[in-house]
Amino acid sequence: NARRRSRRLFLFCSMCSQMKPSTAFTARQCKRRDAVRKCERCVATFVPQSEAARRAERAKRQRTPAADKLLPPMPPSTPAPLFDSAEDPLRLARKAETVLRGRTDHIALVLENCCDDLNHVAVLRTCEALGVHRVMLVEAN
């Protein structure tokens, strides 16, 4: 391990975007890739992202383009309420927007040899409630 570090005297810090001597990094940080490596100074000043911000970022990446076209995003000046009140005029719009943004194209459901039409209807109703877009009916001979 010491030989490996002696070969790379200077390492890249992803936070301050500078090449620094390997002595400016902890042993653990030296082993990381350039894209995530931080020097000791940057580690000391690093403020981790809150869990709520990480969830919002993840939801933004998972949002389907079709849902974005249907409803524009809520303006940032309007704070999201912590609970729903029956008197709120935007309550139903927020709920509909939440359902539309929760839909997914990543799941496809395949039904093979369903013998009853009511089963088809029940499966389609469940898929609609869960936000699944693709349902294929296959009839084997």
Side-chain angles (χ1 to χ4, degrees):
N1 200 5
R3 269 193 245 151
R4 188 176 180 190
R5 258 194 276 159
S6 65
R7 276 189 248 150
R8 296 188 68 185
L9 295 176
F10 288 90
L11 299 171
F12 180 75
C13 175
S14 64
M15 248 180 111
C16 59
S17 301
Q18 294 178 357
M19 294 296 285
K20 294 190 175 186
S22 60
T23 56
F25 298 88
T26 61
R28 189 176 194 180
Q29 290 289 338
C30 285
K31 295 176 187 175
R32 293 189 174 169
R33 332 184 293 269
D34 284 346
V36 294
R37 186 182 303 127
K38 298 176 193 69
C39 63
E40 286 185 14
R41 182 172 167 250
C42 291
V43 168
T45 60
F46 179 68
V47 177
Q49 196 177 22
S50 71
E51 183 63 31
R54 265 186 259 142
R55 276 194 209 126
E57 194 65 34
R58 199 176 306 128
K60 198 183 296 182
R61 283 192 305 256
Q62 291 176 347
R63 205 177 288 151
T64 60
D68 287 339
K69 289 177 187 172
L70 292 175
L71 290 173
M74 289 179 61
S77 60
T78 308
L82 297 175
F83 58 91
D84 276 342
S85 66
E87 298 85 32
D88 188 8
L90 298 177
R91 178 175 173 236
L92 290 177
R94 260 196 314 274
K95 284 188 177 190
E97 183 177 339
T98 303
V99 168
L100 287 175
R101 291 186 191 271
R103 290 181 155 192
T104 181
D105 282 333
H106 302 294
I107 298 172
L109 182 70
V110 179
L111 295 175
E112 184 178 2
N113 289 338
C114 272
C115 57
D116 190 8
D117 288 339
L118 294 177
N119 289 346
H120 291 128
V121 174
V123 168
L124 290 174
R125 196 171 39 238
T126 304
C127 288
E128 184 179 5
L130 295 176
V132 176
H133 284 239
R134 298 180 187 165
V135 179
M136 292 172 246
L137 302 174
V138 178
E139 198 171 311
N141 293 333

